[in-house]
Amino acid sequence: MILQIQKGENNPVLRKKTQTIDKIDEGILQLVKDMIETMNKNSGVGLSANQIGRNIRLFVVHPNLSKKTVFINPKIYKASKKKIISEEGCLSVPGVYKKLQRAKSLKIEAVDENDKQFKLKAKDLLARVIQHELDHLNGILIIDKNE
Ligand code: ZN
């Protein structure tokens, strides 16, 4: 099912810090499927749960970018000092593109859709998408960030 994307820089749903997921149940698994479908339909490379109105710590990334696509309760535990500047857009603030500095590479820990904890090394575009989506889960949008 295609879900509606929450939009607007002052949208309260996008501005709230999201909550840890305690249990991966049928509802979460269905949500993951719907989020992937919604991301693809909108030609996105990532989508976070609060972007479709759910206040929980979950995001998905496009399978072209990563072998891991579902990130539940994600945590970046290492980020490179080296930064890269590149232009970013966001499905929740359409029409806005901003050149942002992001860590070139990082290490992230999360739980997947099978309730399995994993660690992943990411660089370049994948690292950027992960940082963008984690910002979402903390209520931060690209318009808040300095170039
Ligand atoms: Zn976004």
Side-chain angles (χ1 to χ4, degrees):
M1 188 173 78
I2 307 286
L3 305 166
Q4 197 188 339
I5 295 187
Q6 299 286 318
K7 290 178 185 166
E9 56 186 279
N10 296 316
N11 186 331
V13 177
L14 295 171
R15 291 316 203 157
K16 230 190 237 166
K17 193 170 182 220
T18 51
Q19 311 243 311
T20 302
I21 295 174
D22 295 325
K23 192 170 178 286
I24 301 168
D25 56 16
E26 281 300 312
I28 296 286
L29 293 177
Q30 185 60 48
L31 181 68
V32 164
K33 278 185 198 157
D34 292 344
M35 282 175 63
I36 290 170
E37 207 182 323
T38 303
M39 171 181 68
N40 289 334
K41 171 83 180 168
N42 289 278
S43 308
V45 286
L47 190 69
S48 66
N50 50 345
Q51 284 185 281
I52 48 85
R54 295 290 302 272
N55 188 42
I56 50 175
R57 298 189 80 73
L58 155 66
F59 66 77
V60 295
V61 303
H62 198 280
N64 284 356
L65 294 181
S66 175
K67 57 184 195 301
K68 284 292 189 184
T69 54
V70 180
F71 295 75
I72 294 166
N73 300 333
K75 206 173 163 184
I76 292 173
Y77 64 94
K78 207 167 185 184
S80 66
K81 286 210 178 74
K82 185 168 182 188
K83 311 256 197 215
I84 287 187
I85 297 173
S86 185
E87 197 168 70
E88 261 175 58
C90 179
L91 295 174
S92 291
V93 277
V96 175
Y97 296 92
K98 220 171 157 182
K99 279 188 177 160
L100 295 184
Q101 223 181 67
R102 300 277 194 188
K104 178 180 166 55
S105 63
L106 56 81
K107 289 180 179 169
I108 184 168
E109 190 173 34
V111 174
D112 69 13
E113 67 276 30
N114 300 312
D115 208 356
K116 235 183 143 178
Q117 187 109 19
F118 67 92
K119 289 178 176 178
L120 185 80
K121 267 194 219 174
K123 61 174 183 158
D124 301 327
L125 181 57
L126 177 60
R128 178 168 295 272
V129 171
I130 285 172
Q131 289 168 87
H132 179 113
E133 300 311 329
L134 249 173
D135 274 351
H136 271 303
L137 297 185
N138 293 324
I140 297 165
L141 297 171
I142 54 171
I143 49 157
D144 306 333
K145 317 267 295 184
N146 292 321
E147 301 201 0

